[in-house]
Amino acid sequence: MSPRPSGFLRRFMASEAAGGLILMFTAALALVVANSPLASTYTGALGTYIAGLSVLHWINDALMAVFFLLVGLEIKREVVGGQLSTWSSRALPGLAALGGMIAPALFYVAFNAGSPETLRGWAIPAATDIAFALGVLSLLGSRVPLSLKVFLTALAIIDDLGAVVIIALFYTAELDVMALLGAAAVTVALVVMNRARVHSLIPYVVLGVVLWALVLLSGIHATLAGVVLAFTIPLVVDTPDTQQTEPPLLKLEHAIQPWVAFAVVPIFGFANAGVSFAGFSPGNLLDPVPLGIAAGLFLGKQAGVFGFAALAIRLGWAALPDGANWRQLYGVSLLCGIGFTMSLFIGLLAFPTSVQLQDEVKVGVLMGSLLSGLLGALLLATTPSRRWAEEA
């Protein structure tokens, strides 16, 4: 396999961090617009139908498929030849991610156990928003060791994989068998092209569009087509000039990464973060859905991530990230409670027909993410740091 480009992880985190800052701005802008005289224009534009789907559906079903394509590419790259390529390197972020999915879900269930309707949202606080979290870390500069940024990146990637599995298993509508069989046939064709060492991206992209359309018709959420396509893109170039040829997977990842960071995710944030507070009272913040989500993100994430990570380290299954101390690890665990993009996305799937519950989801996500981000940043900013060679 061709060696990965020098400094790739640094460039990846730089772009994700910058994208996170833009996401913060667009989310705040959406809140302002939704509570201004422009609110009717905002909701009307998102409800406009184009080619059979509303603008909001095009954003959530089509644009977000590109986001999931990038997620899939990152997962495959890291598992095959990156930060998750060995069991020892997967242990700490893997167990931390597991705890970070279990504990928030339990917090949410505790607040919603008496309501079968709202219980469907149990997975909403289980996701970490890598763009937002790295955006906060970027504001802290060298006070945070690179090893912790790598840990957070790996944890968020595993977390995204868990979210993909949850969506596939628990948030799938009634299935159209013929469309599903067609999607399976396209997937087989993609695998055959991979095995046949087809390195051109064009046929993969063309079949990927067909796959997206079939998955959309099948009843499975269309964004999962992006993950399936990503797993079939070759990461190994088996040609005489392998050293000079960039693998198709890395080529595609480099091509779409800026678009996802600076366009897809901010557009999604602007389209979905705009919740009107008209009619909301302080008492509504204590409703089971927003309270369960906020508690899951703020309390559940830090408890699950830090608790499982500490257990793995104490048992000798993993080591504390180089140059980091326990307080810094706890600070990063707090930042894992920033669950914006994927949490909002799962909320839409959990309550597709209830505008009220969707608004409550947004309020809960905003509360939990804001608390986690502010306290995590404060803890890391006030933790004494040391200069390490890897930060030079």
Side-chain angles (χ1 to χ4, degrees):
M1 182 178 70
S2 296
R4 296 193 303 167
S6 175
F8 177 82
L9 183 59
R10 292 178 184 272
R11 292 198 303 275
F12 164 75
M13 290 190 297
S15 65
E16 287 288 328
L21 297 177
I22 294 175
L23 178 57
M24 294 178 196
F25 172 77
T26 55
L29 181 61
L31 283 172
V32 172
V33 171
N35 292 277
S36 74
L38 296 174
S40 59
T41 303
Y42 171 77
T43 55
L46 292 175
T48 302
Y49 274 76
I50 300 174
L53 292 176
S54 69
V55 171
L56 184 61
H57 276 97
W58 277 112
I59 292 171
N60 292 340
D61 290 354
L63 273 187
M64 286 301 285
V66 182
F67 168 80
F68 276 84
L69 171 61
L70 180 62
V71 167
L73 294 173
E74 291 169 354
I75 291 172
K76 180 174 180 177
R77 167 176 51 77
E78 294 298 341
V79 168
V80 173
Q83 297 297 323
L84 304 175
S85 59
T86 64
W87 284 109
S88 59
S89 64
R90 297 169 193 161
L92 186 62
L95 289 171
L98 179 62
M101 287 185 280
I102 294 174
L106 292 177
F107 269 87
Y108 182 91
V109 169
F111 285 98
N112 290 271
S115 172
E117 180 188 12
T118 61
L119 197 58
R120 276 184 52 82
W122 63 270
I124 295 172
T128 295
D129 192 300
I130 185 173
F132 248 128
L134 288 176
V136 173
L137 281 185
S138 72
L139 299 176
L140 301 172
S142 60
R143 298 192 66 84
V144 181
L146 178 62
S147 61
L148 274 181
K149 298 176 183 178
V150 172
F151 165 74
L152 176 60
T153 303
L155 184 153
I157 288 173
I158 297 173
D159 192 285
D160 282 343
L161 178 59
V164 169
V165 173
I166 288 172
I167 291 171
L169 294 179
F170 300 101
Y171 295 104
T172 296
E174 294 183 5
L175 297 178
D176 183 314
V177 176
M178 294 306 297
L180 196 59
L181 288 175
V186 173
T187 302
V188 170
L190 287 166
V191 172
V192 170
M193 286 199 305
N194 182 297
R195 296 290 186 181
R197 300 175 182 176
V198 176
H199 296 148
S200 172
L201 284 172
I202 294 177
Y204 290 98
V205 172
V206 171
L207 285 182
V209 173
V210 176
L211 178 63
W212 173 85
L214 288 170
V215 173
L216 178 66
L217 295 172
S218 73
I220 298 175
H221 203 274
T223 52
L224 297 182
V227 179
V228 174
L229 173 62
F231 288 170
T232 65
I233 304 295
L235 183 55
V236 176
V237 177
D238 191 12
T239 61
D241 59 342
T242 295
Q243 298 301 318
Q244 286 73 43
T245 304
E246 185 178 33
L249 186 144
L250 294 184
K251 185 177 181 180
L252 181 59
E253 186 175 359
H254 292 166
I256 69 173
Q257 188 181 87
W259 290 98
V260 171
F262 301 119
V264 172
V265 172
I267 289 173
F268 173 84
F270 182 74
N272 290 279
V275 53
S276 173
F277 295 115
F280 261 87
S281 67
N284 291 129
L285 300 180
L286 300 179
D287 287 345
V289 170
L291 191 58
I293 293 172
L297 287 173
F298 179 58
L299 299 176
K301 271 292 183 181
Q302 59 173 292
V305 171
F306 186 76
F308 273 57
L311 181 63
I313 294 170
R314 292 301 188 190
L315 292 177
W317 298 346
L320 194 67
D322 293 338
N325 56 44
W326 286 101
R327 180 168 169 167
Q328 288 173 318
L329 181 62
Y330 181 60
V332 170
S333 300
L334 275 167
L335 292 185
C336 289
I338 302 175
F340 192 80
T341 306
M342 195 69 81
S343 293
L344 289 179
F345 188 79
I346 294 176
L348 294 173
L349 299 181
F351 310 120
T353 61
S354 176
V355 175
Q356 179 184 349
L357 289 179
Q358 289 177 11
D359 285 345
E360 290 189 357
V361 167
K362 295 172 185 178
V363 171
V365 170
L366 290 172
M367 284 196 302
S369 297
L370 187 61
L371 283 172
S372 299
L374 288 177
L375 291 185
L378 179 63
L379 182 62
L380 290 170
T382 56
T383 300
S385 61
R386 296 164 54 186
R387 291 186 178 276
W388 297 90
E390 64 179 352
E391 288 292 320

